[in-house]
Amino acid sequence: MTEPSASHDDPFAPRLAALAVLDDRGAVVGWNRRAEEVLGHPGAAVIGRQAFEVLVDPRDLPAVREAAASCRRTGGWFGVLKVRHRDGRLVEMGLRAQTFSRDDRVREWLVAGAPAADVLDWQRDRAILDGLYHQCPIGLVVHGPDLKVLRVNRAVERFSGVPAADFRGLPTGYMLLPDDARKAVDRVRQVMENGRPLIYSEQFARLESDPARERVALVSAFRMEDRSGRVLGVAEMIEDITGRHRAQRRLALLDQASSRIGTTLDVAETAEELAEVMVPHLADHASVDLLESVTCGEEPARAPAGPVVRVGACGIGTQQPGAPHGQGVPVEFAPGTPQSRCLAEGRPVLEPVLSSDSVSTESHQDAHAPDPGAHSLIVVPLAARGLVLGVLTLWRSSRPDPFEADDLTLAQELGSRAAVAIDNARRFTQQQQTAFTLQSSLLPRKAPDQSAVEVALRYLPASAAPGLGGDWFDVIPLSGARVALVVGDVVGRGIHAAATMGRLRTAVHTLASLDLEPDEVLSRLDDLVTLLAAEQEAFGERPVGEQVVGATCLYAVYDPVSRRCSMARAGHPPPVVTGPDGQAAPLDLPAGPPLGLGGLPFEAREIDLAAGSLLCLYTNGIIGERNIDADIGLSKLCAALTRPADELERTCQAVVDSLVPAHPSDDIALLIARTRVLPPEDVASWQLTLEPAGAARARALTSAKLTEWGLEHLAFSTELIASELVTNAYRYASGPATLRLIRERFLVCEVSDTSHTAPHLRRARTTDEGGRGLFLVAQMAERWGTRYTREGKTVWTEQSLAGTLT
C-alpha cells in the first residue's frame, strides 16, 4: 500500500485527515479523533455500524455504491461525496479510499477525508506546482544551500537544450561560460546570504556548449525557508529575453545614429560617424567606402564606376583602425567580392560564415584592414535618390555569434539614413566648391606691384558655417605712387554673398580709379548697396532666412611721399596701427554706419605714418569668435603686432596662430601693410606762376631733373607732357600751379592747380589751331588721369621706367 503524503499542506496527511476503516461488508471498524471533529460522530456511535446507515444520505446512495464498486475494481478511489453530520446536515468531503489486506487475508478499506474546500485548494496548489515544472514558459531553477542545482523545469531545458535531469547535482552556473557562470554564482550566493529578493535583473547566459550564440535572461530570485526559518536554498525564475534584448539594442542604436550621424556637412566626417556608430554595438570592425567622385562633391553616375576611397573606418582590439585623413585611402575591390557585387548591383550582402575568398583584395595593407580573424560579414549599399554612393562593410571577429537577418535589416536602415546625410554633405560640398571657385575668381590672387607698402594677406574660410562668407580685401595702386587698402564683409553666406562681394569689389576698383576721398568712396558704395538691396527685394531673390544685402567696409589711402594715410570705415572694426617702436593700438576712427542704411554720412580721418609702421585691416571673424570677447580679441591682435621689424609674412602667421581657432566659425580676411617712404631724392616739386613763360620754365626744370636722374631718354616726352599740362592750367585755372616729378616704378608727372574743371580728351579738326595737347599727352604716357581735392585738381601721367633704374 502507498503511504499518504506527509506534507503539512496535504489535507490527506494522517494528522490532518479524517480517517475511517471499513470492513469488507461496509461496517466501520476504525474512527479517529479528526473524523469525530469534522463530522460530530463519536467513535462509539459509529464503530460496528454500517457506514451507509450512519454517514450516507439515502439520496446519495447511488453515488456511494458506484464509488464502492470502482474501489473494488481498481483497489482505490478518489472523489467528492456528501457525508451526513451528526446534526443531520450534509458535509461535502473530499475522500480518498484504498484497499488493504491483513495477514489473515481479511480485506479492509482505509478512507481518508477532508473538507472539500481544503482538498480543492490543495489540488490547485499541486496543479500550479506541476505547471511550474512542466508547462510554465518561464524557467525555474532551484539551488540548494550548497550551491548545487536541485531541480529545473522544462523551460530551462528548452532554453539550454540540456535535459532537465542532467542539471540535478551540478554546481550553479556549471553549463555557462566562465564569466557568466561567475556572475550567476555571485547572484545566488548574495540572495541566499542576505535574503533580499532579486527582481528583473538582466544577465548574460551563454552556454559553453554553444558560445557563439548570444543569450540574455531576465532573472528574479528569492530565498526558500521552512517554517522554522531554516534556509532551504534559492529559487530563480529565468525568462529568455534574447530577442527583446536585441530589439531594444537595435532601437537604441537607431536612436544613437539619429543623433550622431550627419552632425556636420562634411562627407568624410559623416562617413566616420557612421563607422563609429556601428562599433562595437553591431560589429567589431566597420569601414565606409565611397566613390571618389562623391568625396569631391560630384554627382555619382547611375552605374557606379571609378575609383573608390575609404573615408571612414573603426574597429576594436589591438588592430583598431584609425580614421582616414583628407580625401581618404584608395581601395580596390577584386571582382566577385561582396563589396564589388554590392557596389555594382546596389543590393546588400550577408555572409554569416565568412569564407576566405569573401575578403576583399585591397590595394593597400594597413591598419584599415579588418582583423584577420573576421568570421562574419555584412555589406550594404549607401544609396540616396536612387544613386549608389558607396558601401558600408561590417565584420565580426571578437564577437563569436554571426550576423543574422535582423542585423542586416538594421545595417540597411542605418546605411540608408547615413546615405542621405552623406548625399547632403556631398551636395553642400559641391555648393561650397562652386562658391569657392566664384570667390577665388573675385579675390586678388596676390598683391599688385606698388612702391607704397609691403603687404601680407590671408583669407581663411569658415570650416563649419553653411556657405562661404562675403569677406574680401584689396590692394589698389593709385596715381602719385599712392595705394588704396580695402577690407570688407558682406552680410550673409553662400553664392549670393560671394556674388555681392564681387560686385562691391568691382565698384571699389572703379571708385578708386576716380581718386575719390575715402569718405566719398564709402558714400558711393552705400548708394550701390542700397540699390542692390532694392533690386533683391523687388525680384524676390532674397534666400530664405537671410537678410537684405548689407556690408561693412574700411577704405584707406596711403601716400608714401607725404606719409599721410586717409581712411574711413562703414560699420567695420577699426584698424590697428603699430609704430616703429612696437606700440600697437586700434585707431580711433569714426565707425560710420554699415553700407546699405542709406543717407547717413561717413567721416574720414588722416594720420601720419612713419616708415616701417604696420597697418592691420581685418574682418570681425578674427576678433569676434563666439567664445571670445571682441575686446579680448582686439587685445590679442595688438599683442601679435608688436614686432613691426619682423618678416611681414611671419607676423601675419603669428596673428593667425594666436587668434584663429582650428575650425573658425566665420570667414576671416586679414591684410597687414608695412609702410614705405619714397626717398626725398626721388621726388621733385616746383610751384609755378601761371604766366606765358610758365610752360618754358616747366620744360627747363623737367629736363634738368631728368638729366640728374639719368633719364635723358625720357626728357623729350616728359618736357612735352609738362609743357602741355602747365599750358592747360594757364588757360583754365587761376592762381599758382605745382609741378611734381616722382621717380618710382614709373616716372610720374603731376600738375596741380586750383580749378575743378575736368580736362577732356577730344579729336581736333585739321583746321583747329589748338585742342591737341591732351591727345599728345595720352600718346606719350602709358596712363594718365585726374584726381580732385578740396583745393582743386591734379592731372597726372605715368611713363614706364622698365630697364632704366639701377
Side-chain angles (χ1 to χ4, degrees):
M1 174 181 91
T2 304
E3 292 290 337
S5 173
S7 170
H8 65 270
D9 290 327
D10 186 353
F12 295 113
R15 68 183 186 86
L16 296 177
L19 299 177
V21 180
L22 307 179
D23 63 15
D24 197 37
R25 298 187 304 275
V28 178
V29 296
W31 191 259
N32 73 346
R33 185 181 296 277
R34 179 61 177 162
E36 182 177 341
E37 293 173 355
V38 173
L39 297 175
H41 300 285
V46 295
I47 292 176
R49 299 178 62 183
Q50 289 290 322
F52 291 156
E53 297 175 0
V54 181
L55 303 174
V56 179
D57 187 271
R59 292 171 294 182
D60 295 328
L61 282 175
V64 172
R65 289 192 178 99
E66 182 179 349
S70 176
C71 187
R72 288 189 182 96
R73 288 194 307 269
T74 62
W77 179 86
F78 171 77
V80 178
L81 292 174
K82 293 180 179 179
V83 180
R84 188 162 56 189
H85 195 274
R86 181 181 182 185
D87 59 11
R89 60 188 174 87
L90 298 177
V91 178
E92 194 170 47
M93 298 284 288
L95 301 173
R96 177 183 289 169
Q98 288 181 311
T99 63
F100 65 95
S101 299
R102 295 183 184 178
D103 293 340
D104 55 3
R105 300 187 180 275
V106 175
R107 186 170 64 174
E108 294 181 341
W109 303 86
L110 176 63
V111 180
D118 293 346
V119 174
L120 290 175
D121 287 343
W122 174 74
Q123 286 182 311
R124 188 179 300 111
D125 291 345
R126 289 296 300 265
I128 291 174
L129 184 62
D130 184 73
L132 285 175
Y133 279 105
H134 297 92
Q135 297 173 336
C136 180
I138 298 176
L140 177 64
V141 181
V142 179
H143 305 271
D146 57 354
L147 294 182
K148 291 187 177 181
V149 177
L150 299 177
R151 188 174 181 182
V152 301
N153 68 350
R154 295 285 177 82
V156 174
E157 181 179 284
R158 292 190 296 271
F159 177 77
S160 64
V162 178
D166 292 352
F167 280 90
R168 193 182 304 274
L170 292 177
T172 297
Y174 175 78
M175 295 187 177
L176 300 178
L177 291 177
D179 187 50
D180 296 345
R182 182 169 53 255
K183 294 177 181 178
V185 171
D186 293 342
R187 180 175 66 242
V188 173
R189 180 181 289 113
Q190 182 179 2
V191 174
M192 190 172 301
E193 291 175 354
N194 59 36
R196 289 193 295 269
L198 179 70
I199 301 175
Y200 298 144
S201 174
E202 286 192 10
Q203 306 286 338
F204 281 101
R206 296 164 294 187
L207 300 177
E208 280 193 331
S209 60
D210 189 11
R213 184 178 177 186
E214 181 185 64
R215 301 166 192 265
V216 183
L218 193 65
V219 180
S220 297
F222 62 92
R223 188 168 71 183
M224 300 182 298
E225 302 174 357
D226 61 16
R227 290 188 175 183
S228 65
R230 182 167 59 95
V231 177
L232 303 176
V234 171
E236 283 188 311
M237 302 182 70
I238 302 173
E239 181 181 359
D240 184 2
I241 61 167
T242 303
R244 187 196 315 170
H245 177 78
R246 290 178 179 174
Q248 291 175 345
R249 188 170 61 190
R250 292 185 179 107
L251 287 175
L253 186 56
L254 284 172
D255 181 67
Q256 183 184 22
S258 299
S259 61
R260 289 191 59 187
I261 298 176
T263 58
T264 66
L265 288 172
D266 183 88
V267 172
E269 288 191 25
T270 303
E272 187 64 25
E273 289 168 348
L274 173 60
E276 291 175 352
V277 163
M278 294 296 185
V279 177
H281 306 290
L282 185 60
D284 296 325
H285 303 271
S287 67
V288 180
D289 305 308
L290 300 178
L291 296 172
E292 188 176 37
S293 58
V294 172
T295 63
C296 298
E298 301 173 7
E299 184 85 1
R302 286 287 173 183
V308 178
V309 294
R310 180 157 297 169
V311 292
C314 189
I316 62 174
T318 57
Q319 295 190 9
Q320 176 177 354
H325 299 284
Q327 294 298 316
V329 181
V331 295
E332 181 179 351
F333 300 125
T337 57
Q339 289 90 342
S340 62
R341 298 200 311 270
C342 179
L343 191 63
E345 301 172 5
R347 297 180 181 179
V349 176
L350 169 62
E351 293 198 3
V353 179
L354 188 62
S355 58
S356 58
D357 58 353
S358 297
V359 181
S360 63
T361 302
E362 301 179 358
S363 59
H364 70 291
Q365 297 294 330
D366 60 7
H368 300 309
D371 191 318
H375 60 81
S376 192
L377 173 72
I378 283 180
V379 185
V380 296
L382 300 175
R385 298 180 297 111
L387 300 175
V388 176
L389 311 177
V391 295
L392 166 67
T393 307
L394 306 176
W395 292 272
R396 279 186 180 172
S397 55
S398 301
R399 187 183 308 186
D401 51 314
F403 286 118
E404 300 176 349
D406 288 342
D407 297 322
L408 177 62
T409 301
L410 177 61
Q412 285 182 276
E413 176 63 25
L414 294 174
S416 297
R417 295 188 182 190
V420 173
I422 290 173
D423 190 52
N424 289 338
R426 179 199 63 77
R427 297 169 74 177
F428 173 74
T429 301
Q430 186 180 45
Q431 182 183 15
Q432 282 286 81
Q433 289 175 344
T434 302
F436 268 121
T437 302
L438 174 61
Q439 194 172 45
S440 298
S441 65
L442 297 175
L443 287 174
R445 298 183 180 276
K446 66 175 184 176
D449 294 333
Q450 40 77 41
S451 305
V453 292
E454 177 189 358
V455 177
L457 306 170
R458 289 290 189 281
Y459 178 80
L460 304 172
S463 61
L468 293 174
D471 297 24
W472 91 93
F473 48 71
D474 225 330
V475 179
I476 308 173
L478 301 177
S479 62
R482 297 170 306 134
V483 66
L485 306 175
V486 191
V487 170
D489 186 359
V490 175
V491 173
R493 309 198 66 80
I495 294 179
H496 288 275
T500 301
M501 177 271 288
R503 299 171 78 172
L504 293 183
R505 180 171 179 254
T506 301
V508 170
H509 270 264
T510 302
L511 296 172
S513 67
L514 298 177
D515 271 321
L516 300 177
E517 294 293 327
D519 54 340
E520 182 65 20
V521 170
L522 295 183
S523 295
R524 302 286 182 90
L525 278 181
D526 182 58
D527 294 339
L528 175 61
V529 172
T530 302
L531 177 62
L532 293 177
E535 290 179 354
Q536 190 182 73
E537 286 290 306
F539 291 96
E541 295 178 349
R542 182 175 61 172
V544 177
E546 291 191 11
Q547 65 183 67
V548 178
V549 173
T552 64
C553 185
L554 191 152
Y555 186 87
V557 175
Y558 173 69
D559 186 346
V561 177
S562 65
R563 297 185 293 104
R564 303 288 293 173
C565 182
S566 177
M567 60 189 78
R569 62 185 177 125
H572 204 80
V576 173
V577 176
T578 305
D581 59 354
Q583 296 296 317
L587 185 64
D588 184 15
L589 183 64
L595 300 175
L597 296 184
L600 298 176
F602 299 94
E603 184 178 349
R605 181 182 174 188
E606 194 171 66
I607 62 171
D608 286 327
L609 293 177
S613 299
L614 298 185
L615 181 61
C616 179
L617 282 61
Y618 53 91
T619 54
N620 59 7
I622 204 165
I623 62 169
E625 284 286 330
R626 296 174 185 172
N627 58 340
I628 300 178
D629 183 82
D631 292 337
I632 296 177
L634 197 56
S635 299
K636 288 186 176 182
L637 177 60
C638 293
L641 294 169
T642 55
R643 299 175 63 88
D646 285 356
E647 182 182 356
L648 199 57
E649 284 294 331
R650 183 183 304 169
T651 300
C652 191
Q653 189 58 45
V655 170
V656 172
D657 293 341
S658 61
L659 278 91
V660 180
H663 302 286
S665 61
D666 193 9
D667 290 15
I668 293 172
L670 175 64
L671 186 158
I672 302 179
R674 177 182 285 125
T675 60
R676 296 168 176 160
V677 176
L678 291 184
E681 59 269 20
D682 288 339
V683 181
S685 179
W686 304 276
Q687 193 171 40
L688 304 175
T689 57
L690 296 182
E691 56 184 5
R697 175 170 168 73
R699 288 194 297 272
L701 293 172
T702 298
S703 177
K705 179 54 68 175
L706 293 183
T707 300
E708 178 185 339
W709 285 346
L711 301 176
E712 293 88 346
H713 62 286
L714 295 177
F716 175 77
S717 59
T718 308
E719 287 178 25
L720 178 60
I721 291 171
S723 176
E724 291 296 334
L725 296 182
V726 171
T727 299
N728 280 346
Y730 170 72
R731 289 182 177 178
Y732 304 109
S734 60
T738 300
L739 170 64
R740 186 169 73 164
L741 298 178
I742 301 175
R743 181 180 62 171
E744 45 118 18
R745 294 180 308 111
F746 297 93
L747 176 61
V748 180
C749 178
E750 298 178 343
V751 174
S752 303
D753 58 49
T754 58
S755 171
H756 287 85
T757 303
H760 294 287
L761 180 66
R762 66 185 181 89
R763 183 177 295 278
R765 291 174 294 181
T766 56
T767 56
D768 291 342
E769 295 183 0
R772 298 177 178 84
L774 284 181
F775 179 78
L776 293 175
V777 169
Q779 296 300 311
M780 294 292 182
E782 287 195 5
R783 291 197 313 149
W784 74 281
T786 306
R787 66 175 181 267
Y788 294 89
T789 63
R790 292 177 176 81
E791 294 78 19
K793 70 175 184 298
T794 299
V795 183
W796 55 269
T797 65
E798 291 180 353
Q799 300 177 78
S800 176
L801 290 181
T804 62
L805 293 178
T806 59

